[in-house]
Amino acid sequence: MRLLVHNLLMCNKCDKNNYPLKIEVNKSVIMELEFKKDAILKLIPKLDFEVLSNTVRELGFKQFPKQIPPNVDQDLVFLKDLHRVLFETHIMDGQLTCPNPSCKRNYPITNGIPNMILTEDEQ
Amino acid sequence: MDLDIAIETKEKVRNPTIKLNKKLAIAIAALTKSEKKPFDQLVTQEPTNKLIAVHFGVGDQDDYDTICNYVKQFGQNKIMIYPVRNYAFIEFQNIQQSLQLTQSLQIFENIKFANLKYQNKERATMFFYTKEQELIGGGMCDIPNAMRQVNIPGLYLIHDFITPEYEKYILDLIDKQEWSKLKQRRVQHYGYEFIYGDNTVNINQPADKHIPAFLEDVRAKVSDLIKPQPEINQLTVNEYLPGMGIPPHFDVHPPFHEKFVSISLLSGLVMSFKSFKGEEYHLYLPPRSCALFTGEVRYAWFHSIAARKIDKVEGETHFRSKRLSLTFRTIRNDLKCDCEYQFFCESQGYNPLTMKNKNPLLQEYLAKLNQIGIIQDNKVVPNKTQEEIQLLEEQQQQLLQIPKATEVEKKYVYEIYDKIAPHFSSTRYKPWPKIEQFLKSLEPGSLVADVGCGNGKYLGSNPDIEIVGTDRSENLLKICKEKSDAYQVFSADSLRLPLKSEMFDAVISIAVIHHFSNKILRQQAIKELLRICKSKGLVLIYVWAMEQEEKTFNEQDVFVPWNLQFKYEDEKVINQEVQQQFKIDDQKKTVVYKRYYHVFKQGEIEELLSEMPGFKIVNNYYDHANWVVVLQKD
């Protein structure tokens, strides 16, 4: 699972306070991908950057900026870091947890695939 | 990679001094264009048992032979060479064998190659590992895969019926006889005069020409084979050149006796068979073999030869060359036939003039077999069982407060796809052009959701968009990841997607919604597609049409069989240890699973949508036997 997907996923067992899901990583890999500046610039406005930034920093990348820097289209250092976390970081094993304290549902990630299917009773 | 380079340097290709990395550029360009996939998705660094070999030739018999000679030293393999393409596909039985090959190659700047001798000239041939199961190969993927043996009632294939010496002897003499020229091919008739159009003989007028003496040995051998049927007394010689075929037909019942044979000379080719029930098989007839037609295949199956220059035999390319067929028959003195297949029998009620397209005798026969109720694209959809009818009725009567999956979806969709995933995926590899077009027309950088992505067929269609796939079947998603680690997928229920609202520039739902067994669920699935879509974003929906290309389904709620080959199935299932609700077909060596579909009438999806707010229909059409709508969210 890449952090782009994480930026879009919410818990669908509960209706409120169900985003973003907390990530626990057991195994992650870096898989290199060609850096395309235009592609990543176009993607930035579509993301919840605050969520991405918090997640990235919680996962250990403490220097990742909390906000999109000014003149972002010229900030190659930032763009390459963003490319790294958004396109090249894959969480292979771990889990996603609903932030709602009365839910806290765990969704496992196995071989890079999050399992978001609810059981019969949960539906 | 620029294709212009490839065209410009085509002339220089055979120049051995050209730099290898330029050759690599040509190879990449050709592969990418022809396979409609980026090079880095076609090849992989990780060793597999499959290789793409770029031979820089034209994909003819010589290229095939040269590669074959080189590759066979490493182990048993199958080679698909593609006419007019400069690459081939090699499949070994295991990874060790392909490793042996790649370890024997020369390496230059990360390119692995061998200098092979093609038509006495050396050419560098590059090898790449691939995870692809099959390549498009300019359309080779569409050619049906023929077997060397099939199980068709009444059909027998006898190999080496004639010795090579005898074959040479008769070929020389046959060619010296007088040929009649038809529109497309040359023929010779002996024994009785053949009347074309009716595809029969005039039994009252024996031709002056008797079966030649030099063919007496083989005539006698065939007569022996067909005993107690009276002796062979009619022969037709057909000459097939590559590209020639014969359309599907069955040999008329009277005035021919039951058994007849077709002997192949000079070269082999694939003959196609289709039963009156719609089952299709393709069989390779080797040279000097004798195909004996008796019983069901003789009276009630259509046989044909596709008008092609190449065949695909058990995953390998086979080039056609000139072939002669000898069809030996016995003429009856009366015009009677006592077969049990009256629906095709002219002496028992079949009228070829009026019943070619609509045959009430056949419908009656099929109905009597009590297994057949609905015909779809010549594949048989059996009548529903009591259990299936009850289940459909039950869940349709329930008032669904919360739209969630019923027993129908669970038993006849979710479970099935998980079971048949690898087999299913192997039949779903060719992306449909209009869908790819839709994806490619989106602005670069678009965020797209493929809801019901299956084996990820469309996740690689447009490298300039960010596409996320989701499916209910975890096994299909595993196959997605096998295709490419870069594919982003997660499992979920499309009736309630765990995705934030209004995030996607476009959403596609290809062949998914027809799996929901009632209107409320179908509308709920569409609601979810719209919810996750941005304002002014597009939603593309494909659902199976009731109105198919050649036939129409008789009902809208159908259970369509899927024959899962034993090799994909659990051992316990095959041994029937686990209680099975699905039948086992011992003859075909498959387990028969059923998938539920609600097929849509023309206009039905638009009607469904008219009850829902928040969007406009911007396009609707029929494509590949599906009704399609494109929505734009308000």
Side-chain angles (χ1 to χ4, degrees), chain B residues 99-339:
Chain B
L99 269 167
Q100 285 207 314
L101 186 156
T102 53
Q103 278 159 11
S104 78
L105 298 172
Q106 299 182 47
I107 304 182
F108 175 80
E109 287 184 9
N110 243 354
I111 307 167
K112 298 199 183 102
F113 68 98
N115 281 322
L116 302 181
K117 224 177 185 190
Y118 296 88
Q119 277 181 330
N120 301 314
K121 248 190 179 168
E122 266 196 9
R123 268 198 330 258
T125 303
M126 298 176 181
F127 292 84
F128 305 95
Y129 293 116
T130 179
K131 283 186 184 163
E132 299 294 303
Q133 300 291 339
E134 193 179 8
L135 298 180
I136 297 176
M140 280 298 289
C141 59
D142 288 332
I143 294 182
N145 195 18
M147 296 291 137
R148 290 178 192 272
Q149 53 186 47
V150 289
N151 214 346
I152 295 177
L155 183 68
Y156 302 91
L157 183 60
I158 302 151
H159 297 267
D160 300 308
F161 194 72
I162 311 198
T163 65
E165 298 77 31
Y166 189 66
E167 181 194 43
K168 184 167 192 309
Y169 166 67
I170 56 180
L171 277 170
D172 286 340
L173 289 166
I174 288 174
D175 210 39
K176 293 196 167 78
Q177 307 304 309
E178 214 182 289
W179 289 92
S180 306
K181 190 150 200 287
L182 299 184
K183 257 190 282 179
Q184 298 294 344
R185 55 180 202 275
R186 298 198 302 172
V187 297
Q188 292 175 20
H189 293 295
Y190 300 98
Y192 283 84
E193 189 197 341
F194 215 79
I195 304 172
Y196 278 95
D198 292 340
N199 275 337
T200 185
V201 292
N202 185 339
I203 64 164
N204 294 315
Q205 241 184 302
D208 291 333
K209 294 193 283 183
H210 297 284
I211 296 179
F214 63 84
L215 287 170
E216 176 52 32
D217 280 349
V218 65
R219 188 208 67 84
K221 191 170 179 186
V222 175
S223 295
D224 221 45
L225 191 63
I226 60 171
K227 278 190 174 139
Q229 179 172 307
E231 299 254 336
I232 293 290
N233 56 15
Q234 198 268 333
L235 164 67
T236 301
V237 183
N238 275 288
E239 181 191 64
Y240 289 91
L241 300 176
M244 287 181 185
I246 189 167
H249 67 283
F250 53 87
D251 280 32
V252 287
H253 296 195
F256 302 118
H257 268 279
E258 178 201 348
K259 303 183 197 183
F260 71 85
V261 305
S262 173
I263 296 174
S264 302
L265 300 177
L266 259 187
S267 75
L269 49 55
V270 170
M271 185 174 275
S272 302
F273 294 86
K274 193 163 179 179
S275 96
F276 63 95
K277 290 187 220 154
E279 301 162 74
E280 275 188 67
Y281 296 95
H282 308 277
L283 174 66
Y284 174 68
L285 305 177
R288 298 179 293 104
S289 70
C290 171
L292 169 62
F293 289 68
T294 73
E296 195 181 302
V297 73
R298 182 266 185 266
Y299 286 125
W301 284 61
F302 296 85
H303 57 273
S304 59
I305 292 173
R308 285 194 299 251
K309 294 192 175 168
I310 26 165
D311 287 315
K312 188 194 280 179
V313 183
E314 293 188 354
E316 289 205 293
T317 307
H318 174 268
F319 291 92
R320 286 200 196 165
S321 51
K322 181 161 118 171
R323 167 183 175 263
L324 258 65
S325 75
L326 304 178
T327 307
F328 284 102
R329 301 183 177 93
T330 308
I331 307 279
R332 291 174 77 117
N333 291 321
D334 53 31
L335 280 165
K336 292 209 199 101
C337 173
D338 7 71
C339 71

Side-chain angles (χ1 to χ4, degrees), chain B residues 573-587:
Chain B
V573 171
I574 302 172
N575 296 328
Q576 293 187 264
E577 283 170 23
V578 180
Q579 185 168 50
Q580 272 304 300
Q581 67 192 67
F582 298 106
K583 284 188 333 186
I584 295 193
D585 186 333
D586 272 311
Q587 220 196 27

Side-chain angles (χ1 to χ4, degrees), chain A residues 2 4-5 7-10 12 15 19 31 42-43 46 48 87 90 113-117 120 123, chain B residues 404 410 444-446 466 472 474 481 485-486 488-492 496 498-500 503-505 534:
Chain A
R2 284 168 34 191
L4 172 60
V5 173
N7 208 263
L8 304 163
L9 283 175
M10 65 181 192
N12 59 350
D15 290 319
Y19 172 86
M31 289 194 245
K42 288 206 170 90
L43 203 49
K46 300 182 185 180
D48 185 328
F87 287 97
H90 297 254
I113 306 174
N115 181 351
M116 311 297 297
I117 299 173
E120 180 69 38
Q123 285 173 37
Chain B
K404 50 183 215 169
K410 287 184 209 157
S446 292
E466 272 303 302
R472 184 63 178 60
E474 292 177 81
K481 287 302 247 183
D485 285 312
Q488 313 175 81
V489 296
F490 62 91
S491 64
R496 196 173 153 83
L499 289 166
K500 288 203 303 177
M503 294 300 288
F504 292 93
D505 298 299
K534 277 186 163 136

Side-chain angles (χ1 to χ4, degrees), chain B residues 449-461:
Chain B
D450 183 348
V451 180
C453 63
N455 67 349
K457 194 160 73 155
Y458 296 104
L459 297 180
S461 292

Side-chain angles (χ1 to χ4, degrees), chain A residues 14-114:
Chain A
C14 55
D15 290 319
K16 284 195 272 238
N17 196 6
N18 56 1
Y19 172 86
L21 302 171
K22 290 194 174 44
I23 310 181
E24 197 186 293
V25 182
N26 295 337
K27 175 172 165 213
S28 71
V29 298
I30 304 284
M31 289 194 245
E32 293 196 343
L33 198 68
E34 198 189 326
F35 173 75
K36 291 185 196 166
K37 184 169 149 198
D38 287 325
I40 202 158
L41 280 173
K42 288 206 170 90
L43 203 49
I44 294 174
K46 300 182 185 180
L47 306 167
D48 185 328
F49 190 81
E50 195 186 323
V51 166
L52 177 67
S53 167
N54 290 339
T55 308
V56 168
R57 283 180 293 115
E58 270 168 40
L59 290 177
F61 192 162
K62 303 263 187 244
Q63 304 99 323
F64 195 80
K66 293 187 188 173
Q67 283 172 337
I68 303 174
N71 298 324
V72 64
D73 50 338
Q74 269 134 46
D75 193 341
L76 267 180
V77 173
F78 167 74
L79 287 176
K80 291 238 162 117
D81 281 344
L82 184 61
H83 174 82
R84 181 64 140 205
V85 301
L86 218 44
F87 287 97
E88 298 185 324
T89 307
H90 297 254
I91 297 169
M92 300 307 288
D93 279 285
Q95 58 186 20
L96 299 164
T97 311
C98 180
N100 187 336
S102 40
C103 174
K104 290 201 189 170
R105 208 314 190 153
N106 277 333
Y107 299 95
I109 304 172
T110 323
N111 293 324
I113 306 174

Side-chain angles (χ1 to χ4, degrees), chain B residues 125 254 266 369 394 440 543 613:
Chain B
T125 303
L266 259 187
L369 285 183
E394 262 171 45
K440 288 186 175 151
V543 290

